Amino acid sequence: MSAAPKKLALALGVLVLATNCATNSNTSTQTQQPQKVTEVSNAETVKTVNVDGSSTVYPITQAIAKEFQTNSQNKSNQAQVKVNFSGTSGGFEKFCTGQTDISNASRPILKAEMDKCNKNNVRFIELPVAFDALTIAVHPQNNWAQDITIAELKKIWEPAAQNKITRWNQVRATWPDRPLKLYGAGDKSGTFDYFTEAVVGKPGDSRTDYTASEDDEVLVDGISKDPNALGYFGFAYFEENQNKLKALAVNNGQGAVSPSRQTVEKNTYQPFSRPLFIYVNAQSAQNKPAVKHFVDFYIENAPKIVSSIGYVPLTEEGYHLAKVHFNRGKVGTVFEGEAQINLTLGELLRKQAKF
């Protein structure tokens, strides 16, 4: 490493350590401990930002990474961003063993994952970046279903439905006697965790006789080719493929509401409105200038990129707080190791403000 990056890395380390010591740790559920600023000898490693995790957040991070790579300031630094996806849970498995710098997540980090991070001395900075409207999709030729209730979704997806609820008319008597083919998130996906908790009542509680994948494109492809299909995934994948999919309005007991930016902002698309995150390895942010530059760029450009992808951006204050927390090296989470259903944009902002 050249002298300049070494000095920058050390300066960043001192800055983050100093601000961590001055921060009240009572609001964080992760123990704040001093970081060891380690020497990184491989110049290529220092200039590479490794990202993995949620396929729902992947389109946002990938789009920002592409823009970052072409950014004139970054060209002088020659930083490279590698973005992959293995699902939120799969991403945290890598992140909490120090294999990645950033983990995309479609749910907050869980207690067991926090314990694993602590065990491996991985401190993280939690940054909300957008809101999603988890979407229930069917084939466009489906002319019988326009909406679906949470109770009906539970009837379809609960473990007791396995090999039993296999036809549309078993879900609603007015629907036709046709095969019901299911497509959904794999069990390494944060979408799987969120959906099962919101619908069945317990994270991970689901029938298993369905086409499962952590790759939302696989789910989109399957549903778009199957007139008897029903599945779920992030709203951006529906937006990109709405010419070959149909979204069902969701009725939680207060009337059927379709997924859209407007219904998320109005807090009416519940329980499927949810925040999306990136988690940053605090030590990487100290030791690797490329990580610091990329996350700064991410927060700055998230509003326009999030909108262009099809998700709902946070408020201006929300991104400001994310920037403040990142630059202060604020480690931990405001979610106490649990996913939270029915969270609104306003509630997320209040949690961030108290962090």
Side-chain angles (χ1 to χ4, degrees):
M1 179 189 284
S2 65
K6 286 181 182 176
K7 291 179 179 178
L8 178 57
L10 290 170
L12 284 169
V14 171
L15 174 61
V16 174
L17 286 172
T19 53
N20 272 350
C21 292
T23 302
N24 187 338
S25 63
N26 290 337
T27 56
S28 170
T29 59
Q30 186 185 39
T31 304
Q32 297 189 40
Q33 298 179 6
Q35 302 288 312
K36 292 183 179 179
V37 180
T38 58
E39 193 84 12
V40 183
S41 59
N42 190 319
E44 183 178 348
T45 300
V46 172
K47 290 186 177 182
T48 300
V49 181
N50 291 303
V51 188
D52 207 312
S54 167
S55 62
T56 304
V57 185
Y58 173 83
I60 303 173
T61 303
Q62 179 71 351
I64 292 177
K66 286 182 178 179
E67 195 157 319
F68 178 72
Q69 301 288 187
T70 60
N71 180 265
S72 58
Q73 182 178 357
N74 177 56
K75 282 184 176 180
S76 64
N77 296 318
Q78 298 180 327
Q80 299 295 315
V81 184
K82 297 180 179 179
V83 187
N84 296 302
F85 60 84
S86 56
T88 297
S89 297
F92 277 132
E93 287 177 7
K94 299 174 184 178
F95 181 77
C96 289
T97 54
Q99 297 177 55
T100 56
D101 303 300
I102 297 172
S103 203
N104 294 330
S106 59
R107 58 155 173 78
I109 190 168
L110 302 179
K111 181 64 167 59
E113 292 160 343
M114 292 166 59
D115 291 343
K116 188 172 184 179
C117 278
N118 277 326
K119 180 180 178 181
N120 293 297
N121 200 32
V122 173
R123 306 289 171 242
F124 55 80
I125 303 170
E126 178 182 77
L127 301 175
V129 294
F131 253 73
D132 177 31
L134 198 158
T135 302
I136 312 300
V138 296
H139 191 278
Q141 289 180 15
N142 180 325
N143 59 5
W144 59 89
Q146 308 303 323
D147 59 70
I148 194 164
T149 69
I150 297 298
E152 287 168 338
L153 286 170
K154 181 178 181 180
K155 186 176 184 180
I156 292 170
W157 288 98
E158 64 185 349
Q162 179 127 344
N163 299 320
K164 293 180 181 178
I165 304 300
T166 59
R167 305 192 72 80
W168 279 91
N169 65 339
Q170 291 177 287
V171 181
R172 188 182 292 185
T174 56
W175 288 345
D177 184 11
R178 298 180 61 147
L180 174 63
K181 303 295 184 180
L182 298 175
Y183 296 79
D187 62 10
K188 296 292 185 183
S189 169
T191 299
F192 173 79
D193 295 331
Y194 189 93
F195 180 84
T196 51
E197 182 168 3
V199 169
V200 182
K202 181 180 178 182
D205 213 13
S206 173
R207 67 191 296 170
T208 59
D209 56 335
Y210 69 97
T211 300
S213 179
E214 276 76 24
D215 185 347
D216 290 358
E217 294 287 2
V218 171
L219 305 178
V220 167
D221 184 64
I223 297 169
S224 69
K225 294 176 179 177
D226 190 343
N228 296 310
L230 178 144
Y232 63 91
F233 40 74
F235 185 69
Y237 289 89
F238 168 73
E239 280 271 284
E240 186 180 356
N241 299 280
Q242 56 186 303
N243 62 321
K244 53 185 179 180
L245 297 170
K246 184 175 87 170
L248 297 185
V250 174
N251 189 336
N252 66 358
Q254 300 182 7
V257 178
S258 297
S260 70
R261 174 170 176 165
Q262 291 71 29
T263 56
V264 171
E265 290 174 338
K266 292 178 181 178
N267 304 324
T268 57
Y269 187 67
Q270 298 292 356
F272 292 144
S273 295
R274 56 176 180 160
L276 305 176
F277 306 87
I278 61 171
Y279 285 79
V280 183
N281 183 309
Q283 192 166 351
S284 292
Q286 294 175 42
N287 297 350
K288 297 173 66 172
V291 173
K292 172 73 165 60
H293 294 154
F294 177 63
V295 176
D296 281 337
F297 187 88
Y298 198 122
I299 298 169
E300 187 69 26
N301 291 272
K304 68 174 183 178
I305 297 293
V306 165
S307 294
S308 69
I309 294 297
Y311 292 127
V312 181
L314 306 181
T315 61
E316 183 178 344
E317 185 180 357
Y319 288 116
H320 171 71
L321 287 170
K323 186 175 183 179
V324 169
H325 292 164
F326 178 64
N327 287 327
R328 289 181 177 175
K330 181 68 175 178
V331 300
T333 174
V334 299
F335 294 94
E336 300 179 349
E338 298 177 355
Q340 295 198 12
I341 308 301
N342 292 318
L343 194 69
T344 67
L345 280 160
E347 288 166 345
L348 176 65
L349 183 61
R350 285 191 288 273
K351 282 181 175 291
Q352 285 182 277
K354 292 179 180 178
F355 190 33

